[in-house]
Amino acid sequence: MIMDGVTQIPDKTAKNEITPEMVAEHGLTTEEYERIVAALGRAPNITELGIYSVMWSEHCSYKSSKVHLKTLPTEAPWVICGPGENAGIIDIGDNQAIIFKMESHNHPSYIEPYQGAATGVGGILRDVFTMGARPIANMNALRFGAPDHPKTKHLVSGVVAGIGGYGNCVGVPTVGGETSFDASYNGNILVNAMTVGLADKDNIFYSAAAGIGNPVIYVGSKTGRDGIHGATMASAEFTEDSEAKRPTVQVGDPFTEKLLIEACLELMASDAIIAIQDMGAAGLTSSSVEMASKGGVGFDLDLDKVPQREEGMTPYEMCLSESQERMLMVLKPGREDFAKGIFEKWGLDFAIIGKITDTGRLTITWRGEIAGDMPIASLVDDAPVYERPFVAGVKQALLKAGDIPAPDDYGDALMKLIGGANLSSRRWVWEQYDHMVMADTVARPGGDAAVVRIHGSEKGLAMSTDCTPRYCLADAHEGGKQAVAETWRNITAVGAKPLAITDCLNFGNPEKPEIMGQFAEAVAGMGEACRALDYPVVSGNVSLYNETNGTAILPTPAIGGVGVMASIRRMATVPFKRYGDVIILIGESKGHLGASIYLQEVLGRKTPEELGAPPPVDLAAERRNGDFVRPLIEEGLVDTCHDLSDGGLIVALAEMAMASKAGGIGAEIDAGFISPSLAVPLHGILFGEDQGRYLIAVTEEIAADILRRAEAENVPAVQIGATGGDALVIRHEGTEAVKLSVSDMTSAHESWLPTYMSG
Amino acid sequence: MKARVHVTLKPGVLDPQGKAIEHSLSDLGFEGIGGVRQGKFIEIELAETDAAKAEAMVEEMCKKLLSNVVIENYSIELEWLKGV
Amino acid sequence: MKARVHVTLKPGVLDPQGKAIEHSLSDLGFEGIGGVRQGKFIEIELAETDAAKAEAMVEEMCKKLLSNVVIENYSIELEWLKGV
Amino acid sequence: MKSAVIVFPASNCDRDIAVALEKITGTKPHMVWHGDSDLPQVDFIALPGGFSYGDYLRSGAMAARSPIVAEVMRRASAGVSVFGICNGFQVLTEAGLLPGALMRNAGLKFICRDVKLRVENAGTRFTNAYAQDQIITLPVAHHDGNYFADEGTLKALEDNGQVVFRYVDENGEASETGNPNGSQHNIAGIINANGNVLGMMPHPERLIEAELGGSDGRALFDSVLNALESA
Ligand SMILES: Nc1ncnc2c1ncn2[C@@H]1O[C@H](COP(=O)(O)OP(=O)(O)O)[C@@H](O)[C@H]1O
Ligand SMILES: [Mg+2]
């Protein structure tokens, strides 16, 4: 239907019959089509077929994932609103609420990296401010193909510029994220964007429409033929000829978005709004259906009233357009002129396009004729739900450190890691993001969690996005647990209390039982971790069919966590701050090298069998260790803390030294302290990725106190050395196993990405 | 030889810049403006002296780098440089 | 009437965008590129039917908004729209 | 001190500068919407950072043509202090209140990071609380901060001490490595010949307290207060 750049869609007035081909082109099965006919009691017209197809698409209906998502814990005393609304909401006291969500924009970003990523940011911002929050931070999780793949560089450059281009213009700081490379993303990159907003707890807006006869209002940009069928595109596997489906990519207009944010927040300060909802995937259709469904009412829409950018648009096009920067609202009767004044002041379109009815139906008129008439309940509740068959993943064997070769040279191995694609500095990325606008960013990108101050207070909001896909491939259940635990740990490492997560579950084709198995296991693992850590899921997004020509991406359940600290004056950060500080390792080191970055990048192992099982996550230990570290920071005893993740102890030490200012503060470590009795070889101690661990650096007196407390609380903690000099020195059985100057490490660490991008 | 390339947004693709310029021009009091679209204009000096070859080469540049066919169209003009 | 405006950097003003394109083109293996300059191309639809008046109006637009005289030059072409 | 902050559509550092002004001067500034025709009588007018009109066409171009800027120009010629930060600087050059132009960064990318600056003229009403040649740290966050002017203009700026801030490297030298965006003569901020209109790309309002990573921006606002008191 889409040819040569022009979207050619049959007009419903042509009264053409719905053919099996048209049903298939809309991504509907014959059985699903039969359901539509049954719900309507007649065959749909083309507009109705289009509406059903988007509402029942994977993207809007969660038909493959629903049964699993239901198992996730979503409640806690501080949860105000869990999954199901535009974004999740938690209570942070003082009548303040945090509203946040993460969403994918994978396929559009592969086709048009700048605009795809930019509109991804725009979309997630709207999900948050539509609920009454001022967006105060953006985050992003990015996965690209192998660095040597011919498309990778172009995609990195476009995606990063697009995220910056949008976020910088709307004036919301982009404060953190993650960026990694793996060949499995060669034909299907992941662009996951997260927005965190702040609202008054007593002034939150929901989408349930109410009040028969109340006006339905359209605000924002005009409707054009943008991105028709984006939702179905996000629900289909990629093939080479998807590139021909190009016009489904939208162009973002961050200027209009900024005006829309301000206008909506201005109106929200009054009592005029009954319900409000952004127009996201599937635009006008899904927003009106969702609002009507939540409120148990019907909608009459007059398409002729819809502000239009192009001439001759059909009802099909108007209903399915994914033009950006638009919102739908229900206003209290009589407040239309007041609201209109605000939107006009900001130079935005404002149109009354319909009203609420008691019919329970979505009725669309166009040029005086009924262009569509569907029961709302059938669009939402009759959407198919699949219990897709799945098979459990093959569990890889646990590898013993003793069976894994040591590196020829420990220093070279470290340099290879910190100066390589996956662990090098991401400064090149975050320097393209305005991470300081709003003047509340107190922990800038580069640390464990980013921290922004709650404006006008001392409170801090900590955020981190994490996932280790190679663990998920080796064992999706442990990988799901680990992703949740890592955000919890990163938030803890700055001294904040982790409160809740959002997620973006990126997987391959759910119709394949092994992919569905990855999904089911990862979700089960996430749920287990959320329960153990009191860390519920309040919002999220599922992105399936991330495959190219039949090859799936690594399972990537990206997690975005949020936490709060009482005072940003007592916050810990990564860099070493003083010479002569004692360095303490908290948590147990068993030397687990399975699925480690050491095996992958230093030893060059590739297959799941060679890589073995990922580090197990002992959730009880995770919680105990984190709950030990956090009060130390809150009490002002610890200002230097870093959690251990990819690359283990040695990489964490190097990062703390490299982050320190002015030439760098080094450290001297004696590996003998770490596990004198355990028969763990040195490379297991240094590169092992055992979970639930932190490094802290404190003065001697404080160190003694902390070690006593650890012993009393049964938390493994050991003094492993001290800061000092300008090199990282690691001694082992009387020899210097590692001696690297901080400045040499820094130049390797800082140069990989800029060199790669300019090459 | 000099190639002049115009890269413009496809019809129907939103042009936020054009829209803003249009708005600003009418704020400045200009009347009767039916629409504004903004594109890029790229001039390339080429050593190639054969027009057909030059055109093929620039066409390739457009496809590979200068435009994104997802949202943009391009057009090419060739011009002999004076004195070449 | 349609006006086509080209806004280009003055000779002597460094053009980082043009330089970057030139660089990328040679990375892609294109040879014999003597230089690349990037400018803007703005199309304006006008209700005005008198060519002289239209030209004067667009000239004024260029001076007031479309170009920055410190760094840019502009040129204007007018074109009758088909069917007008 | 009575001050005003001009808010254009998609200004986005308007709140940041307002917070800084209130914190340092003790008085809330008037926030003046670009569409409002009257500007209250004030001693100090700030044009904030951001992306006025999306920075479409050229950064600051459309804002510079707005009616409120015409009023700002009248106040400037009457001697009121006018201060443009980042997008505000771009607006001032586009409006002709300051010479030259701000072009796309030489590296073509948006750049957000702390930079080092040398205070080249501590004798202005915006810089008297700094020491001459003091090296300070302030963040930049811009896509179009590459300062350009023709040779004659540059010479005049240099000769008259109108270059107020210059980008420098770790050693305090105005070298290429210290220059984040390709600006000619490493120019980060300039003042008009009358000494009452300052434009600069770095953001002093973002570094006014230790929690945000430094307080080198404070002295700029202190200077304005000093100048007002001694006037
Ligand atoms: N795409 C990105 N955008 C912003 N910041 C990023 C991005 N990618 C990585 N970072 C930042 O780089 C730092 C290192 O990232 P990462 O190695 O994933 O941290 P960790 O191991 O603590 O989870 C973090 O501070 C992170 O926020
Ligand atoms: Mg970390």
Side-chain angles (χ1 to χ4, degrees):
Chain A
M1 292 213 311
I2 294 161
M3 293 156 68
D4 200 21
V6 185
T7 313
Q8 296 175 348
I9 288 159
D11 189 330
K12 78 113 211 173
T13 51
K15 297 245 179 337
N16 33 16
E17 293 247 319
I18 302 298
T19 64
E21 291 74 42
M22 289 159 75
V23 172
E25 272 166 358
H26 281 79
L28 291 161
T29 65
T30 325
E31 199 227 316
E32 287 168 345
Y33 180 70
E34 293 307 324
R35 258 179 204 254
I36 298 173
V37 175
L40 293 177
R42 59 174 166 80
N45 66 29
I46 183 72
T47 303
E48 293 165 332
L49 182 73
I51 290 174
Y52 272 98
S53 99
V54 292
M55 290 310 302
W56 289 8
S57 71
E58 192 67 61
H59 189 81
C60 294
S61 75
Y62 292 86
K63 59 189 167 190
S64 304
S65 56
K66 224 176 205 162
V67 291
H68 300 283
L69 296 178
K70 276 204 201 123
T71 66
L72 290 168
T74 60
E75 284 171 12
W78 53 87
V79 173
I80 296 175
C81 172
E85 273 288 339
N86 286 298
I89 311 179
I90 56 173
D91 188 342
I92 60 160
D94 307 315
N95 192 36
Q96 289 165 333
I98 291 297
I99 305 188
F100 66 106
K101 185 170 188 250
M102 175 152 54
E103 203 161 65
S104 66
H105 227 208
N106 304 337
H107 291 98
S109 302
Y110 183 77
I111 298 172
E112 212 313 308
Y114 184 97
Q115 296 297 345
T119 49
V121 174
I124 193 64
L125 280 163
R126 286 191 293 283
D127 271 330
V128 167
F129 73 75
T130 193
M131 301 199 75
R134 176 171 286 282
I136 58 170
N138 281 331
M139 303 275 289
N140 58 97
L142 312 176
R143 317 273 164 194
F144 297 103
D148 59 3
H149 186 272
K151 281 202 158 161
T152 301
K153 208 178 289 181
H154 161 74
L155 291 168
V156 174
S157 120
V159 164
V160 171
I163 290 174
Y166 209 98
N168 299 345
C169 181
V170 296
V172 176
T174 303
V175 294
E178 46 175 354
T179 313
S180 64
F181 299 88
D182 184 274
S184 75
Y185 306 106
N186 279 353
N188 194 125
I189 60 171
L190 301 184
V191 174
N192 296 171
M194 171 171 164
T195 293
V196 183
L198 174 69
D200 288 342
K201 189 182 156 188
D202 58 9
N203 200 32
I204 290 170
F205 292 83
Y206 294 95
S207 58
I212 307 306
N214 281 349
V216 176
I217 316 276
Y218 170 118
V219 295
S221 277
K222 293 185 180 6
T223 297
R225 293 186 176 91
D226 313 82
I228 290 170
H229 269 327
T232 24
M233 170 165 101
S235 307
E237 207 176 303
F238 238 32
T239 54
E240 242 123 54
D241 72 28
S242 314
E243 298 202 28
K245 288 190 182 167
R246 286 175 150 157
T248 51
V249 172
Q250 310 97 318
V251 168
D253 182 357
F255 171 52
T256 298
E257 180 101 337
K258 168 70 176 166
L259 305 181
L260 194 57
I261 296 176
E262 299 304 333
C264 287
L265 292 177
E266 191 173 327
L267 181 60
M268 284 165 167
S270 78
D271 64 349
I273 300 177
I274 292 175
I276 178 164
Q277 155 93 31
D278 64 299
M279 293 193 221
L284 188 55
T285 299
S286 71
S287 53
S288 36
V289 170
E290 277 167 34
M291 292 179 85
S293 157
K294 290 220 172 85
V297 295
F299 264 28
D300 269 1
L301 296 182
D302 180 355
L303 295 181
D304 299 316
K305 302 266 169 59
V306 170
Q308 292 161 51
R309 193 177 81 228
E310 294 179 70
E311 278 165 29
M313 291 184 68
T314 64
Y316 181 100
E317 292 170 321
M318 279 190 261
C319 288
L320 300 191
S321 160
E322 293 192 355
S323 288
Q324 302 286 295
E325 294 96 20
R326 303 179 300 163
M327 316 280 278
L328 203 62
M329 326 186 277
V330 176
L331 291 182
K332 288 192 183 151
R335 303 307 301 273
E336 297 91 330
D337 287 343
F338 167 73
K340 189 170 186 206
I342 292 177
F343 284 89
E344 282 181 348
K345 168 187 157 195
W346 290 97
L348 297 165
D349 269 291
F350 177 101
I352 301 172
I353 63 163
K355 62 173 193 296
I356 298 186
T357 66
D358 60 3
T359 60
R361 300 179 76 83
L362 175 63
T363 308
I364 297 163
T365 50
W366 180 63
R367 300 188 180 166
E369 266 188 74
I370 304 281
D373 183 23
M374 296 146 281
I376 300 276
S378 80
L379 286 163
V380 180
D381 308 330
D382 291 355
V385 172
Y386 294 127
E387 291 209 29
R388 298 207 187 269
F390 64 89
V391 293
V394 182
K395 298 277 176 286
Q396 301 303 330
L398 274 167
L399 305 181
K400 280 210 217 90
D403 297 339
I404 294 168
D408 298 335
D409 182 296
Y410 287 92
D412 290 353
L414 173 59
M415 289 293 267
K416 189 161 184 181
L417 291 180
I418 60 175
N422 281 317
L423 294 188
S424 55
S425 166
R426 270 55 182 134
R427 183 182 305 279
W428 184 91
V429 175
W430 77 64
E431 283 190 348
Q432 293 184 59
Y433 303 150
D434 189 338
H435 47 264
M436 291 182 245
V437 64
M438 298 186 95
D440 281 312
T441 306
V442 292
R444 300 183 191 177
D448 285 325
V451 181
V452 298
R453 178 171 61 184
I454 300 294
H455 192 67
S457 81
E458 246 187 63
K459 280 199 292 194
L461 185 74
M463 294 150 280
S464 178
T465 62
D466 292 283
C467 179
T468 313
R470 61 176 192 281
Y471 294 171
C472 298
L473 182 69
D475 182 337
H477 187 94
E478 282 305 304
K481 272 164 72 181
Q482 195 275 343
V484 172
E486 190 174 346
T487 62
W488 191 86
R489 202 182 305 146
N490 275 317
I491 289 168
T492 297
V494 297
K497 167 114 181 69
L499 291 176
I501 64 168
T502 179
D503 63 52
C504 194
L505 308 176
N506 307 274
F507 288 82
N509 181 347
E511 293 158 42
K512 296 180 183 167
E514 57 288 4
I515 300 287
M516 208 52 223
Q518 292 175 342
F519 184 85
E521 290 185 25
V523 170
M526 285 167 52
E528 197 182 318
C530 291
R531 275 184 289 269
L533 300 171
D534 256 333
Y535 194 38
V537 181
V538 297
S539 59
N541 171 247
V542 176
S543 171
L544 300 174
Y545 298 95
N546 289 289
E547 302 206 355
T548 312
N549 300 328
T551 319
I553 58 161
L554 294 181
T556 313
I559 306 296
V562 167
V564 171
M565 63 177 72
S567 172
I568 52 146
R569 305 226 159 103
R570 290 184 302 278
M571 169 177 86
T573 57
V574 169
F576 288 140
K577 297 178 185 62
R578 295 161 294 268
Y579 291 99
D581 263 5
V582 170
I583 301 173
I584 296 174
L585 172 62
I586 291 162
E588 216 178 342
S589 305
K590 294 184 177 164
H592 189 104
L593 284 168
S596 67
I597 198 127
Y598 171 76
L599 287 193
Q600 188 174 294
E601 296 197 356
V602 178
L603 300 187
R605 295 194 180 183
K606 287 203 173 66
T607 66
E609 294 75 27
E610 290 171 339
L611 287 164
V617 184
D618 175 345
L619 293 165
E622 184 78 54
R623 182 160 184 167
R624 180 196 62 207
N625 299 352
D627 287 348
F628 176 73
V629 169
R630 191 178 317 105
L632 301 178
I633 302 168
E634 288 170 334
E635 289 166 31
L637 294 173
V638 171
D639 65 356
T640 305
C641 181
H642 189 19
D643 74 307
L644 275 61
S645 58
D646 286 323
L649 174 66
I650 191 168
V651 167
L653 284 166
E655 286 171 345
M656 295 174 86
M658 291 186 295
S660 63
K661 283 257 162 70
I665 300 176
E668 289 213 21
I669 304 297
D670 192 329
F673 286 122
I674 296 166
S675 60
S677 60
L678 262 177
V680 179
L682 183 60
H683 59 290
I685 291 176
L686 296 184
F687 296 101
E689 297 183 1
D690 306 87
Q691 299 292 296
R693 296 187 298 164
Y694 303 82
L695 280 172
I696 58 174
V698 289
T699 60
E700 269 179 52
E701 314 85 84
I702 295 178
D705 183 29
I706 289 175
L707 290 169
R708 265 193 304 276
R709 273 169 75 159
E711 199 173 341
E713 293 177 35
N714 251 324
V715 173
V718 53
Q719 174 173 342
I720 63 168
T723 62
D726 58 3
L728 175 61
V729 179
I730 298 178
R731 289 187 219 289
H732 180 60
E733 294 173 347
T735 64
E736 268 181 6
V738 176
K739 181 168 187 178
L740 288 171
S741 83
V742 179
S743 66
D744 285 352
M745 292 194 296
T746 304
S747 50
H749 187 58
E750 291 295 343
S751 63
W752 187 85
L753 195 49
T755 307
Y756 169 67
M757 290 308 297
S758 66
Chain B
M1 180 113 47
K2 190 185 229 169
R4 298 156 54 96
V5 176
H6 287 89
V7 179
T8 49
L9 285 170
K10 288 190 170 164
V13 173
L14 176 72
D15 176 7
Q17 307 230 39
K19 200 174 72 175
I21 295 171
E22 183 179 338
H23 210 90
S24 189
L25 286 173
S26 47
D27 281 352
L28 287 173
F30 291 102
E31 275 165 29
I33 300 173
V36 177
R37 305 275 292 170
Q38 178 173 328
K40 278 179 219 147
F41 169 60
I42 302 161
E43 286 176 301
I44 308 169
E45 273 166 45
L46 298 168
E48 182 59 65
T49 50
D50 178 301
K53 281 194 194 149
E55 172 138 22
M57 182 170 160
V58 177
E59 175 101 30
E60 185 131 346
M61 291 177 183
C62 287
K63 285 194 183 140
K64 282 205 176 149
L65 181 75
L66 304 179
S67 77
N68 182 346
V69 290
V70 177
I71 49 173
E72 293 168 328
N73 288 329
Y74 59 85
S75 70
I76 301 169
E77 290 160 37
L78 290 177
E79 185 189 287
W80 289 98
L81 291 180
K82 275 184 202 111
V84 174
Chain C
M1 180 113 47
K2 192 185 228 166
R4 297 155 54 97
V5 176
H6 286 88
V7 179
T8 49
L9 285 172
K10 286 185 173 165
V13 175
L14 200 73
D15 174 12
Q17 267 137 321
K19 270 265 168 311
I21 296 174
E22 187 177 336
H23 204 88
S24 301
L25 287 174
S26 44
D27 280 353
L28 286 172
F30 291 101
E31 276 165 27
I33 300 172
V36 178
R37 306 274 293 168
Q38 179 175 322
K40 282 176 208 145
F41 170 59
I42 302 164
E43 286 175 301
I44 308 169
E45 274 167 45
L46 298 169
E48 183 59 67
T49 51
D50 179 301
K53 282 193 194 149
E55 174 137 21
M57 180 168 161
V58 177
E59 177 99 30
E60 184 129 346
M61 289 178 185
C62 288
K63 285 194 184 137
K64 280 207 176 148
L65 180 73
L66 302 179
S67 77
N68 178 341
V69 289
V70 178
I71 46 174
E72 293 168 331
N73 287 329
Y74 60 85
S75 69
I76 301 170
E77 291 161 36
L78 291 177
E79 185 189 287
W80 288 97
L81 292 180
K82 275 186 202 106
V84 174
Chain D
M1 181 178 90
K2 280 188 276 178
S3 59
V5 175
I6 310 290
V7 185
F8 298 104
S11 287
N12 61 32
C13 304
D14 45 331
R15 188 186 77 180
D16 304 356
I17 177 77
V19 168
L21 282 169
E22 186 178 354
K23 233 176 219 163
I24 297 166
T25 70
T27 322
K28 262 197 171 86
H30 295 275
M31 304 303 283
V32 181
W33 177 238
H34 78 114
D36 297 350
S37 43
D38 29 276
L39 181 57
Q41 286 305 322
V42 292
D43 314 305
F44 180 83
I45 300 169
L47 305 180
F51 282 74
S52 58
Y53 299 90
D55 270 359
Y56 297 149
L57 188 63
R58 287 183 317 279
S59 302
M62 296 185 206
R65 276 77 184 168
S66 68
I68 194 79
V69 170
E71 182 56 28
V72 171
M73 289 167 80
R74 278 188 286 277
R75 299 290 173 89
S77 59
V80 174
S81 300
V82 175
F83 178 38
I85 307 169
C86 197
N87 195 232
F89 185 16
Q90 293 159 344
V91 173
L92 292 175
T93 57
E94 281 283 347
L97 278 173
L98 290 172
L102 291 148
M103 302 181 51
R104 183 57 31 118
N105 292 346
L108 299 181
K109 292 191 292 292
F110 186 94
I111 167 161
C112 176
R113 65 173 162 89
D114 284 347
V115 296
K116 293 225 175 302
L117 302 170
R118 191 167 62 212
V119 181
E120 300 283 282
N121 182 350
T124 77
R125 63 170 87 169
F126 301 94
T127 51
N128 59 61
Y130 292 106
Q132 180 68 27
D133 296 332
Q134 185 180 339
I135 308 285
I136 61 173
T137 299
L138 291 179
V140 290
H142 61 245
H143 212 162
D144 300 289
N146 180 351
Y147 184 78
F148 174 87
D150 59 44
E151 283 307 319
T153 307
L154 284 172
K155 185 167 186 311
L157 286 173
E158 295 286 4
D159 291 351
N160 301 335
Q162 287 174 254
V163 176
V164 176
F165 296 105
R166 218 185 287 277
Y167 300 108
V168 294
D169 60 23
E170 290 298 320
N171 306 316
E173 302 297 328
S175 64
E176 211 178 305
T177 46
N179 188 341
N181 54 24
S183 289
Q184 284 181 317
H185 294 206
N186 284 41
I187 288 174
I190 54 172
I191 199 162
N192 65 344
N194 274 338
N196 67 319
V197 179
L198 175 74
M200 66 193 290
M201 289 313 294
H203 288 267
E205 83 283 15
R206 290 189 186 183
L207 277 193
I208 55 158
E209 50 187 324
E211 280 78 17
L212 295 174
S215 54
D216 283 355
R218 265 196 108 92
L220 192 137
F221 301 98
D222 288 335
S223 304
V224 178
L225 273 181
N226 291 346
L228 212 67
E229 274 161 25
S230 61

